[in-house]
Amino acid sequence: MLTFLIRRILYVVPIAIGVTFFVFSLVHLAPGDPLSAVVAGDAPREVVDMLRAAYGFDQPMIVQYLRWVARALSGDLGRSLATGRPVAAEMFAAIGNSVLLAFLAAAIGFTLGAILGGIAGYAQSSWLDKLASLIAILGVSVPHYWLGMVLVILFSVNMNALPAIGIGPAGSAFWLWTRTDWSHAILPAVTLSVIPMGIVTRTVRATVAETLAMEFVQALKAKGLPGHAVLLHVVRNVAPVCLAVMGLQFGYLLGGSILVETVFSWPGTGFLLNDAIFRRDIPMLQGVILVLAMFFVLLNLLVDIVQTLVDPRIRRG
Amino acid sequence: MAAQPPAPAIATSASAATPTRGYWATVGRRLMRDRVTMACALVLALILLAALLAPLIAPHDPFLGRMPRRLRPFGILNSLGMSDNPRAILEHPFGTDELGRDMLTRILYGGRLSLFMGVTPVFNALVIGGLLGIVAGFLGGWVNTLIMRTIDVFYAFPSVLLAIAISGTLGAGIVNAIVSLTVVFIPPIVRVSESVTTSVRTLDYVDAARASGLGTLSILRVHVLRNVFGPIFIYATSLISVSIILASGLSFLGLGVEPPNAEWGLMLNTLRPAIYTRPEVAALPGFAILVTSVCFNLLSDGLRSAMDVRI
Amino acid sequence: MSGAPASGAAVPLLAVEGLKKHFPILGGLLRRPVAWVQAVDGIDFAVAPGETLGVVGESGCGKSTTARLLMHLVAPDAGTVRFGGRAINAPGGIGLSELRRQMQMVFQDSYASLNPRLTVADTIASAPAGHGMKRADAQRLAHDLLARVGLEPALFLRRYPHELSGGQRQRVNIARALALSPRLLILDEAVSALDKSVEAQVLNLLLDLKDDLGLTYIFISHDLNVVQFISDRVMVMYLGRVVEIGPVEAIYAEPAHPYTRALLDSMPAMDPDRRTTEPPLSGDPPNPINPPSGCRFRTRCTFAEAVCTAREPALDTVAGAKFAGHHAACHMARAGSGHSKAPAPGAGGDSANPVTAGARP
Ligand SMILES: Nc1ncnc2c1ncn2[C@@H]1O[C@H](COP(=O)(O)OP(=O)(O)OP(=O)(O)O)[C@@H](O)[C@H]1O
Ligand code: SF4
Ligand SMILES: [Mg+2]
């Protein structure tokens, strides 16, 4: 068990190296000179060379990479080419906003998914099951950026009940825990929640059905054990699987919120990323992607460890 | 599958008594009986046909904008007693977009790029990822380690993030979007192909084939490929729906297809400001994406259960 | 030299010396081998042309691994295998592809050893086709072989494995193995999964085929009745080693090794009067990762003495054996080994076998 934990933790190292290398090489994938975002095309040569040296673009690849990693480790993700401010500072508030949105969406999606999936698994082939499965299919098939638009049409345009954009009253960039702020979060959170809702529903349904079909559960039922005893067994079997799926889904929520954040002008990392892409602000792009990917790597690690601790069937050596 | 050897003359009469059928025949029969799957296949076939025949059946020019006609409402809805000109009803049955282009025409044309950009990355990834995974699974050892550890790095990115990272760096354009989505779908396909191949490789019949002195290539062709293709293919079909949503999503962000081309995600993007004036028109392209994606998902589910036969 | 066939004048068809395979157990942080499973640990035996060598032993003693080593499905760590007097993969020896044409194997699991996507005809024809036979010829061969193993070709050629019964599938496996006209057939638990009546049919088929085609068999099984029925000689394995080998009459009537006797005692006798009640073999076999020192059987042997821990008994001719070519690896079978029940050095051939004496009614 301990060996497994150490192995699993050490395994993050090569992955992290791979991730940093990939993110770093994005600069070189980009067409054109990375400096083109800061200098005009007709700038004098000396100015360009000076800037090139200032940003370190004149060094060999590997030196640039090592420097970049060393700086990133100390929390310095470089400066935005567009605003000149440190990337880390620009990202700070945005990460908080994205995590908040992801938490809200996860709360909605996971709860609904667990309920729908549980019902569907218990009442297999009934109309309830069919309905839940239909909702799940729609959840995983809907283009959520479009769903966001539809919700805005319904609740903001037609009913004028909820605000359509932003995180708070006009221009606000921070979550303030006010009633208005909550009302701003409803539509984006619901929009973002449909995919995990669909996936959790399908997972829970399959696992519940599988557990109920297991011989020992059948035997328990035959022995006339009360419903809640059977339920306990079901939960015990379903929980570890659910946990793993939910962990991954939470990562996807954070990494995949860019479309929803764009639709709702939610000032999170996705919004930042979108800006960076259109300003060709490579350091910003790299910084956001690096942080989100690293977060995802650590989340995967956590899910694996928790799952091993929770699931008695997994005994890894 | 491969052609069956010609049966001896007597076999035909005898096998009529004990009907024998191959795997794909069984799968086909089961699919035909599955009404939901067949309905989805039919809808998808119609969408594909409409997209292919767009130049013949579309009522207007997809690029011709007429500013005086911009953002017309659904002509079909108008017919509910509001219009006094019956011909105008059918002029733009689904209204016009922000530049006055006919929506029905653009939805029909948009299907071409949307389907193409949804299916192509999965196909590419199926070829590349399937090959890598089968090689990794069949050879094992350090080749496996090298391929699978590299794949693990790409697995460290949520798919949307990876697609946007690559597309955002490469810039907008159809080819760039296809490249980035291909990269997104390779890792999961490699994982599935590797695990399926590894489990097939250790089966007795592969050992039996080795024991009868068959070469590596013919073992791979006859015994491994035939048995791993099904599961890998099913998995790939389940990615098409995601791919269509992601491809349109990239266009929606301005990273995929560029104007003035017709593509559902891009149409959704350019029509966004119209949600306040013509919500039904603005939402229409997304509905097309939804229908296509639901059908692909259900089709893939149906295929999975039809191919899940112990044979 | 040990385990030479009884009629050992001619060159043996197959001669094995010092064959060894240890599987690594990976562990620790670096996934390095932390231990080795001594699946097959240096075995010697030979098979004469035309005979049937039965191989018996408890589960996990290395029977299947031996079979796979002979087919070179797993690479041996050490040892030599000679086929028809020619070394394998050595200069002037026999190549792997040639070896696999002359030596074929039938696997235990009749279902898993057939590709579910191939018809019976394609399965049988695939090996000769792979060796360059024309497609039409290979298909005709499949037709003939199917008839040969007792399946009506018209009914079965175009079937898929899932459309066959267990006995029919194993017949197809035998036909597939025969398709390359091998001289030696390894049957690894080939009838173990079949019903008793079907098993008898397939055994008779095997006997017929052997006579008609002049085959040599290595017949692996844990069913001692079946082995007695089909074998000319029997080899008993324990924890990766050969503990006894000899003519079938010698092994069944005069077992020299306590393990062999224990196996025979646990065998469901045909005659109810001879059924023993006490379990002759208690406990599980020891871990093949750390086999006991000295004699590997000593942890379960009722005759174990100090010498058994100190020295490992070699596989050698049984002292006073009534049958030629009867070898056992036990100190009691060796004159002057230091075991109290061993015959005195130079004692005559009429000394009682300590293992059988007084033990069997
Ligand atoms: N590929 C492998 N890797 C590691 N250990 C193995 C491998 N194959 C076999 N072993 C081990 O080698 C030992 C011998 O196995 P083998 O299959 O030869 O036994 P067997 O005599 O055929 O048993 P059975 O009667 O159950 O078929 C066992 O302890 C087994 O666990
Ligand atoms: S050598 Fe000793 S322990 Fe081994 S079988 Fe013979 S008597 Fe028993
Ligand atoms: Mg075995």
Side-chain angles (χ1 to χ4, degrees):
Chain A
M1 182 54 131
L2 192 67
T3 342
F4 163 74
L5 287 183
I6 297 175
R7 270 183 63 80
R8 187 61 188 81
I9 291 171
L10 285 184
Y11 186 55
V12 167
V13 176
I15 299 253
I17 293 176
V19 167
T20 52
F21 194 78
F22 174 77
V23 174
F24 170 76
S25 57
L26 284 178
V27 191
H28 301 272
L29 269 179
D33 193 316
L35 280 178
S36 60
V38 266
V39 286
D42 54 359
R45 240 207 117 74
E46 313 78 80
V47 177
V48 176
D49 284 345
M50 200 189 72
L51 275 170
R52 192 181 303 280
Y55 280 102
F57 289 138
D58 56 342
Q59 304 283 328
M61 261 276 267
I62 185 74
V63 175
Q64 286 188 46
Y65 169 69
L66 290 176
R67 273 194 190 170
W68 180 73
V69 170
R71 280 208 315 259
L73 280 177
S74 65
D76 175 8
L77 292 170
R79 279 176 184 278
S80 160
L81 290 181
T83 64
R85 296 197 337 119
V87 169
E90 297 253 357
M91 277 178 67
F92 195 73
I95 290 179
N97 293 339
S98 280
V99 169
L100 179 90
L101 191 59
F103 260 113
L104 292 177
I108 302 171
F110 295 172
T111 315
L112 278 181
I115 295 172
L116 282 175
I119 292 176
Y122 255 96
Q124 258 189 84
S125 324
S126 70
W127 66 270
L128 267 175
D129 176 22
K130 298 219 168 83
L131 183 69
S133 301
L134 179 72
I135 297 177
I137 280 276
L138 286 176
V140 294
S141 308
V142 74
H144 51 297
Y145 39 94
W146 171 75
L147 180 68
M149 280 171 65
V150 171
L151 291 180
V152 166
I153 291 172
L154 291 179
F155 293 96
S156 308
V157 179
N158 284 1
M159 289 156 64
N160 201 12
L162 290 168
I165 55 164
I167 194 171
S172 164
F174 299 97
W175 177 262
L176 292 170
W177 302 107
T178 62
R179 252 193 73 154
T180 347
D181 282 11
W182 280 104
S183 72
H184 274 268
I186 292 177
L187 289 186
V190 168
T191 306
L192 201 51
S193 74
V194 291
I195 293 180
M197 185 270 292
I199 289 176
V200 170
T201 304
R202 299 184 90 179
T203 313
V204 171
R205 177 186 183 274
T207 331
V208 167
E210 200 178 288
T211 312
L212 286 178
M214 279 181 185
E215 271 172 25
F216 81 93
V217 179
Q218 295 281 322
L220 285 184
K221 273 194 179 163
K223 268 191 259 167
L225 237 71
H228 64 261
V230 176
L231 185 69
L232 189 75
H233 280 285
V234 172
V235 169
R236 233 187 248 160
N237 275 279
V238 174
V241 182
C242 265
L243 215 70
V245 171
M246 288 178 180
L248 283 185
Q249 286 300 314
F250 186 73
Y252 289 139
L253 283 179
L254 255 187
S257 59
I258 175 168
L259 286 153
V260 173
E261 289 185 6
T262 306
V263 171
F264 291 98
S265 302
W266 185 268
T269 48
F271 201 61
L272 216 54
L273 202 55
N274 203 1
D275 256 9
I277 288 170
F278 289 101
R279 293 178 180 166
R280 303 222 56 76
D281 188 349
I282 299 288
M284 192 72 176
L285 189 79
Q286 282 181 322
V288 176
I289 292 171
L290 181 70
V291 169
L292 289 180
M294 282 306 175
F295 180 84
F296 194 58
V297 171
L298 293 181
L299 192 73
N300 272 332
L301 172 70
L302 199 72
V303 168
D304 254 22
I305 292 177
V306 170
Q307 203 193 3
T308 315
L309 296 178
V310 168
D311 193 343
R313 285 169 301 186
I314 304 179
R315 277 274 164 269
R316 300 184 238 205
Chain B
M1 289 296 326
Q4 299 299 333
I10 31 168
T12 14
S13 59
S15 59
T18 50
T20 65
R21 56 181 110 107
Y23 175 71
W24 294 104
T26 314
V27 170
R29 198 163 311 200
R30 290 173 68 149
L31 272 180
M32 297 300 269
R33 262 190 252 124
D34 183 345
R35 266 184 293 156
V36 175
T37 307
M38 289 320 285
C40 288
L42 187 70
V43 172
L44 285 176
L46 287 178
I47 293 177
L48 183 68
L49 205 66
L52 288 178
L53 297 181
L56 299 179
I57 58 177
H60 295 271
D61 179 337
F63 301 112
L64 178 66
R66 280 173 285 197
M67 289 319 266
R69 292 194 183 184
R70 53 196 296 270
L71 290 174
R72 287 273 176 90
F74 278 13
I76 289 177
L77 295 184
N78 257 7
S79 65
L80 303 173
M82 283 175 64
S83 175
D84 46 358
N85 179 1
R87 280 192 54 241
I89 297 168
L90 292 175
E91 177 120 52
H92 298 293
F94 291 108
T96 57
D97 72 2
E98 77 285 355
L99 297 177
R101 298 172 292 199
D102 179 53
M103 278 301 280
L104 175 61
T105 303
R106 287 192 55 89
I107 292 280
L108 289 175
Y109 272 92
R112 305 179 133 202
L113 272 178
S114 289
L115 287 176
F116 176 73
M117 295 196 46
V119 175
T120 314
V122 176
F123 179 79
N124 292 345
L126 176 64
V127 173
I128 302 171
L131 206 70
L132 283 173
I134 290 171
V135 166
F138 191 69
L139 294 183
W142 65 268
V143 177
N144 181 299
T145 311
L146 182 75
I147 293 178
M148 297 318 286
R149 293 300 84 85
T150 313
I151 288 305
D152 281 353
V153 170
F154 288 91
Y155 235 86
F157 295 88
S159 46
V160 179
L161 187 66
L162 188 58
I164 285 166
I166 300 174
S167 264
T169 319
L170 292 178
I174 295 176
V175 175
N176 287 350
I178 288 179
V179 167
S180 82
L181 288 176
T182 302
V183 174
V184 166
F185 292 122
I186 286 176
I189 290 187
V190 171
R191 278 209 178 170
V192 169
S193 340
E194 191 258 356
S195 79
V196 176
T197 310
T198 305
S199 63
V200 166
R201 183 179 68 131
T202 52
L203 289 177
D204 275 354
Y205 64 78
V206 175
D207 269 348
R210 284 211 293 146
S212 47
L214 287 189
T216 308
L217 276 184
S218 42
I219 291 178
L220 198 60
R221 190 170 49 82
V222 178
H223 295 286
V224 176
L225 288 188
R226 279 193 201 194
N227 289 288
V228 300
F229 180 74
I232 301 174
F233 178 75
I234 294 181
Y235 181 71
T237 60
S238 77
L239 293 175
I240 294 181
S241 150
V242 185
S243 179
I244 285 182
I245 295 178
L246 273 186
S248 291
L250 286 179
S251 297
F252 180 74
L253 286 176
L255 284 175
V257 176
E258 288 163 296
N261 284 315
E263 195 274 347
W264 295 338
L266 179 63
M267 290 163 72
L268 214 46
N269 178 5
T270 55
L271 279 166
R272 259 179 77 196
I275 56 171
Y276 296 98
T277 46
R278 289 279 174 250
E280 76 275 20
V281 173
L284 193 62
F287 187 70
I289 303 175
L290 174 68
V291 171
T292 315
S293 141
V294 167
C295 285
F296 269 117
N297 255 331
L298 288 173
L299 187 67
S300 163
D301 279 1
L303 209 56
R304 179 190 310 271
S305 51
M307 285 173 79
D308 182 22
V309 243
R310 185 177 155 88
I311 134 162
Chain C
M1 268 308 293
S2 58
S7 50
V11 182
L13 182 60
L14 183 77
V16 176
E17 260 174 61
L19 195 61
K20 188 167 117 176
K21 181 73 198 178
H22 290 185
F23 292 109
I25 297 201
L26 304 180
L29 285 181
L30 295 172
R31 296 272 134 190
R32 289 273 161 73
V34 290
W36 298 86
V37 178
Q38 307 191 358
V40 172
D41 193 30
I43 62 172
D44 312 312
F45 65 94
V47 188
E51 76 166 343
T52 297
L53 175 71
V55 181
V56 298
E58 278 166 298
S59 184
C61 69
K63 304 183 297 290
S64 297
T65 306
T66 304
R68 283 168 190 270
L69 284 171
L70 293 179
M71 291 303 305
H72 281 70
L73 287 174
V74 290
D77 294 337
T80 56
V81 177
R82 294 174 149 269
F83 191 85
R86 294 194 287 162
I88 287 155
N89 269 346
I94 181 172
L96 210 54
S97 132
E98 176 63 18
L99 175 80
R100 283 173 176 170
R101 198 180 315 203
Q102 308 236 9
M103 183 155 83
Q104 279 289 300
M105 176 163 172
V106 176
F107 293 81
Q108 169 171 9
D109 187 338
S110 67
Y111 192 86
S113 49
L114 291 174
N115 185 339
R117 301 289 159 78
L118 294 187
T119 58
V120 166
D122 285 346
T123 289
I124 300 174
S126 76
H131 281 274
M133 188 184 278
K134 275 217 230 50
R135 190 176 167 74
D137 292 342
Q139 291 289 334
R140 196 163 319 117
L141 179 67
H143 181 276
D144 296 346
L145 280 171
L146 211 51
R148 190 66 201 76
V149 296
L151 295 177
E152 176 60 52
L155 284 176
F156 289 95
L157 270 175
R158 307 256 286 140
R159 288 209 191 171
Y160 287 85
H162 71 284
E163 298 167 326
L164 304 176
S165 73
Q168 291 167 345
R169 277 199 298 264
Q170 207 54 299
R171 285 170 193 261
V172 172
N173 276 315
I174 292 170
R176 184 242 314 260
L178 293 177
L180 292 172
S181 317
R183 293 166 70 194
L184 176 68
L185 202 55
I186 302 174
L187 300 139
D188 185 5
E189 312 265 11
V191 296
S192 307
L194 304 179
D195 289 346
K196 275 292 158 209
S197 61
V198 181
E199 181 181 45
Q201 292 168 12
V202 174
L203 283 175
N204 285 324
L205 169 69
L206 287 172
L207 286 178
D208 290 347
L209 288 171
K210 183 172 177 245
D211 288 346
D212 294 354
L213 306 173
L215 292 170
T216 304
Y217 288 155
I218 293 180
F219 189 93
I220 299 173
S221 177
H222 54 255
D223 185 334
L224 285 117
N225 283 315
V226 170
V227 168
Q228 184 176 20
F229 170 74
I230 202 161
S231 307
D232 301 313
R233 290 192 309 127
V234 175
M235 176 165 102
V236 184
M237 289 185 70
Y238 187 76
L239 280 186
R241 291 283 176 93
V242 177
V243 294
E244 186 163 7
I245 185 168
V248 63
E249 307 82 21
I251 300 289
Y252 281 77
E254 292 275 327
H257 198 285
Y259 176 63
T260 311
R261 207 199 93 199
L263 279 184
L264 291 172
D265 284 350
S266 61
M267 161 179 168
M270 293 302 157
D271 174 4
D273 292 341
R274 277 183 44 186
R275 280 194 188 143
T276 50
T277 41
E278 40 149 350
L281 253 185
S282 53
D284 291 329
N287 194 334
I289 295 173
N290 281 314
S293 63
C295 173
R296 295 195 171 189
F297 187 56
R298 70 177 164 79
T299 50
R300 298 158 88 195
C301 179
T302 43
F303 304 100
E305 291 181 2
V307 61
C308 305
T309 317
R311 276 189 294 120
E312 175 158 19
L315 180 67
D316 218 332
T317 309
V318 173
K322 295 201 181 75
F323 297 89
H326 186 186
H327 302 255
C330 172
H331 288 306
M332 291 191 295
R334 195 84 55 253
S337 65
H339 196 285
S340 63
K341 289 209 163 66
D350 54 3
S351 65
N353 180 340
V355 174
T356 40
R360 294 194 136 201

